[in-house]
Amino acid sequence: MSFGQGGPQGAPGDQPSTPPWGPPPHAPQAPQASPQPHAPQLPPQIPPGAAPGAPWQQQIPGQAATPDWGRLAEETAARGRRRTWLLAGGGVLAAGAIAAIVATAVMMTGKDDDKALPSPEKLPSASAGSPEPTFSQVAPPNPREFIATEEKDTAPLSTKTLFPHTKPVLDKRTYKRLAQDTTTDCASAAQGGLGQVLADNGCQKVLRSTYERDGVAVTVGVAVFADKAAADKAKEQATGNITALSGDDGPAFCRATACRLTANAEGRYAYFTVAGYTNGSAVTSDDTKALQAGRDVAGYTFRRIMYRANALAAASVSPKPSAKPSAKASDKGSDKPVSDQAAAKPSPAPAGN
C-alpha cells in the first residue's frame, strides 16, 4: 500500500493524528502553586565581642567570619599617630608653662633687688686718691717672743710702767700700794741665798712693789735677765726670798718671821713674792689669808708682764696707737681702784711655789 504525499490518510470522520515529528499533544497542566512571600533580608551578622563598625567581612552562611586585617592595621597606625601628636603637644605646652613660671620668678626677683638697692645717686663714690684697703697675710706674732730676749724687749721698763696702779683690784679684792723700788744691785734686794742666784744668772735689775690689804702685806720683786733661759734657770735655782719692802710709812713685815713665798718666771723675767702680816705675826702652814694675798699679787704681776708682751707684738705689726691692746687701766697709774683684769691675759698665771 502506498501512501501519497502528506502521509496516510485516515478514514473519513477520523481526527487527523499528530505526525510523529511534531510536538506532543498538549497534556493537561497541573495547577501552579501560589508564590511564597520573600523572607526579609537581615543585616550582616557581627561576630560576638566585635565593636560596631569593625572591619569584619560579611559572613557567608556556612563560613566563619574573618577580620579585615588591612583596615585594622590602618586604624592602629592612625591611633598611634594621634597619640604621638598628643604627647608632643602636651610636652610643648608643659615646657612653655615652666618657662613662663621661671621668667616670672626672675622678673619678680629683679624687682625686689631693685627695691633693696639704693639708687646710683645714693651710693657713696670713692674720692680720688683715697688709699685702697690692704690686708696682711702675715700671721700675728707670738707675744712671748717679744719678752724672750732683750733685743726684742725694747719698750721702757720701770716700776711705773710695770706696776702703774695704786689701788689694783685683784679678783674683786682691792689692794693698796705701799712702796716701790728699783735697783741694779740685785743681791741687795734678796736674802737667804736668792741674791747669789740672781747674780750668778746675770740679773740686770730688780723692780719691787708692795701691796697691803686687811693686815696682810705682799712684796713682789721682778728680776730682769738677758733672755728667757737665764730667767728660767734663776727660778729653778731659787732659794731664800725677795726682801720685803715696807717703805717710809709702811709697817715692817716678814722680818725674822715665817712668811709665804712664791717663785715664777715668764719670758726674761723671774718674779718672786713674800707675804706676811703687818703686825709681825708668823704665817702658819694652814693660813689662807697670806696664801691668797701672795697668789693675787703674783697673778697681777704675770698679767702685767703679758700686757707688755702684747703691746710689743702689736706695735711690731702696726705702730699706730690704735693697734695697741685696749685696757681700762692706764700705764700712768691712778689713785682710784683699778681692776687688773684690764691687762692682757693670754694664759692663766702659773701657780706659785
Side-chain angles (χ1 to χ4, degrees):
M1 177 170 98
S2 65
F3 296 92
Q5 187 178 356
Q9 297 289 326
D14 293 337
Q15 292 293 335
S17 63
T18 303
W21 57 84
H26 292 283
Q29 294 181 356
Q32 295 182 354
S34 61
Q36 295 293 330
H38 294 284
Q41 294 185 353
L42 298 178
Q45 296 292 324
I46 299 176
W56 291 85
Q57 294 180 354
Q58 184 175 359
Q59 184 174 1
I60 300 174
Q63 294 183 0
T66 58
D68 189 344
W69 298 109
R71 185 177 177 184
L72 286 174
E74 291 178 0
E75 291 184 356
T76 302
R79 285 196 299 271
R81 285 191 296 271
R82 286 195 299 272
R83 185 180 297 106
T84 302
W85 282 108
L86 288 175
L87 292 177
V92 171
L93 291 177
I98 293 174
I101 293 172
V102 172
T104 303
V106 171
M107 293 177 64
M108 295 301 294
T109 303
K111 292 181 179 179
D112 293 341
D113 293 342
D114 292 341
K115 294 179 181 179
L117 293 176
S119 61
E121 293 79 6
K122 296 181 181 180
L123 292 175
S125 59
S127 59
S130 60
E132 295 293 332
T134 58
F135 303 93
S136 174
Q137 297 181 355
V138 180
N142 184 356
R144 283 186 165 89
E145 295 179 358
F146 292 86
I147 57 172
T149 62
E150 59 182 340
E151 287 78 15
K152 289 189 174 182
D153 190 4
T154 57
L157 178 62
S158 66
T159 54
K160 291 183 178 180
T161 60
L162 192 59
F163 302 111
H165 310 119
T166 58
K167 294 181 179 181
V169 179
L170 313 179
D171 196 14
K172 300 182 180 180
R173 290 178 285 271
T174 302
Y175 288 79
K176 179 183 178 181
R177 190 178 69 193
L178 299 179
Q180 288 184 324
D181 176 67
T182 301
T183 180
T184 56
D185 184 4
C186 298
S188 65
Q191 60 186 21
L194 183 59
Q196 188 63 44
V197 172
L198 299 180
D200 292 345
N201 288 283
C203 176
Q204 297 175 350
K205 60 181 177 180
V206 174
L207 299 86
R208 290 182 296 171
S209 187
T210 299
Y211 302 89
E212 183 269 338
R213 177 181 180 272
D214 292 343
V216 177
V218 183
T219 293
V220 58
V222 179
V224 183
F225 297 88
D227 54 33
K228 174 177 171 58
D232 289 343
K233 189 175 180 180
K235 183 255 182 182
E236 294 298 330
Q237 298 175 350
T239 180
N241 59 279
I242 201 77
T243 301
L245 179 65
S246 300
D248 297 334
D249 299 329
F253 66 99
C254 292
R255 302 288 177 87
T257 186
C259 290
R260 179 71 66 178
L261 309 177
T262 66
N264 292 284
E266 186 62 51
R268 69 186 189 110
Y269 304 97
Y271 53 99
F272 311 89
T273 64
V274 54
Y277 289 97
T278 56
N279 61 5
S281 300
V283 177
T284 61
S285 58
D286 59 350
D287 180 84
T288 57
K289 291 183 64 177
L291 175 64
Q292 186 63 62
R295 287 179 175 177
D296 285 346
V297 175
Y300 171 62
T301 304
F302 167 78
R303 289 187 287 273
R304 292 304 305 166
I305 293 173
M306 290 309 303
Y307 176 84
R308 177 183 178 86
N310 281 290
L312 289 166
S316 69
V317 176
S318 176
K320 298 180 181 180
S322 59
K324 294 182 180 180
S326 60
K328 296 179 182 178
S330 171
D331 283 346
K332 294 182 180 179
S334 173
D335 290 336
K336 298 179 180 180
V338 181
S339 173
D340 70 302
Q341 303 299 326
K345 296 190 291 183
S347 61
N353 293 339

